[in-house]
Amino acid sequence: MEKIRVWDRPVRIFHWGLVAAVTAAYLTSEDAESPHQWAGYFALALIAFRIVWGFVGSPHARFADFVPRPATLIDYVGRLARGREPRHLGHNPAAAVMVVFLMAMVATIGTTGWLMTTDWGWGSEILEEVHGLAVNLTLGAIALHVAAAIFESVRHHENLILSMLTGYKRR
């Protein structure tokens, strides 16, 4: 079976680094001091890097390659509902929307967390509520993301988790 590199090293480092940062931030959330904050700052740095890489990176890393138009997403979801969705070498349209959503949520979590450490945001109930809501939405989205990766792996006979480790998928 012929394989092709799809996920470049920077994308894979971003992905697994973000998994580590979000996990560390979540596990240290009761102690909002150093470990929690540094995990959040690391997550923000990863998001900033990924935004840049989304414009200058390898072909499958570029937003122009995978962020779908609304009509493309609607068509894909309709095909998915009928069990006739096509396999995509890079992100499928639904996965692409999930990538953008997760990046936006992690950026929201990190930004609100940082703002709560400033004189301006210290003690702000609104920032705390937005921070908590974004965390909860992100946890739900992560669960959906993992379930969808498993579903698509089974459906298309391809280990997507392994491909995010190695960078390769079947052609």
Side-chain angles (χ1 to χ4, degrees), residues 65-104:
D65 178 68
F66 70 87
V67 176
R69 294 186 335 264
T72 303
L73 176 63
I74 291 167
D75 178 62
Y76 178 82
V77 170
R79 289 173 184 237
L80 178 65
R82 294 188 303 276
R84 296 177 175 243
E85 78 283 1
R87 175 183 174 266
H88 288 261
L89 192 55
H91 287 98
N92 68 52
V97 170
M98 180 61 79
V99 168
V100 173
F101 178 78
L102 285 170
M103 288 176 58

Side-chain angles (χ1 to χ4, degrees), residues 19-41:
V19 168
V22 169
T23 301
Y26 182 77
L27 293 176
T28 60
S29 64
E30 293 302 316
D31 177 23
E33 294 302 317
S34 292
H36 183 75
Q37 289 175 338
W38 285 109
Y41 296 147

Side-chain angles (χ1 to χ4, degrees), residues 25-156:
Y26 182 77
L27 293 176
T28 60
S29 64
E30 293 302 316
D31 177 23
E33 294 302 317
S34 292
H36 183 75
Q37 289 175 338
W38 285 109
Y41 296 147
F42 182 58
L44 281 174
L46 286 167
I47 294 295
F49 163 77
R50 185 62 182 92
I51 289 170
V52 171
W53 199 246
F55 292 102
V56 301
S58 64
H60 288 293
R62 293 182 185 199
F63 298 129
D65 178 68
F66 70 87
V67 176
R69 294 186 335 264
T72 303
L73 176 63
I74 291 167
D75 178 62
Y76 178 82
V77 170
R79 289 173 184 237
L80 178 65
R82 294 188 303 276
R84 296 177 175 243
E85 78 283 1
R87 175 183 174 266
H88 288 261
L89 192 55
H91 287 98
N92 68 52
V97 170
M98 180 61 79
V99 168
V100 173
F101 178 78
L102 285 170
M103 288 176 58
M105 286 296 95
V106 171
T108 300
I109 294 165
T111 302
T112 55
W114 167 72
L115 285 171
M116 288 188 290
T117 69
T118 66
D119 288 341
W120 179 82
W122 183 262
S124 169
E125 289 183 28
I126 292 173
L127 283 176
E128 287 182 27
E129 287 180 27
V130 171
H131 189 78
L133 177 61
V135 168
N136 290 332
L137 288 172
T138 301
L139 292 174
I142 289 169
L144 181 59
H145 174 68
V146 171
I150 293 168
F151 171 81
E152 190 170 345
S153 291
V154 170
R155 182 108 168 130
H156 294 287

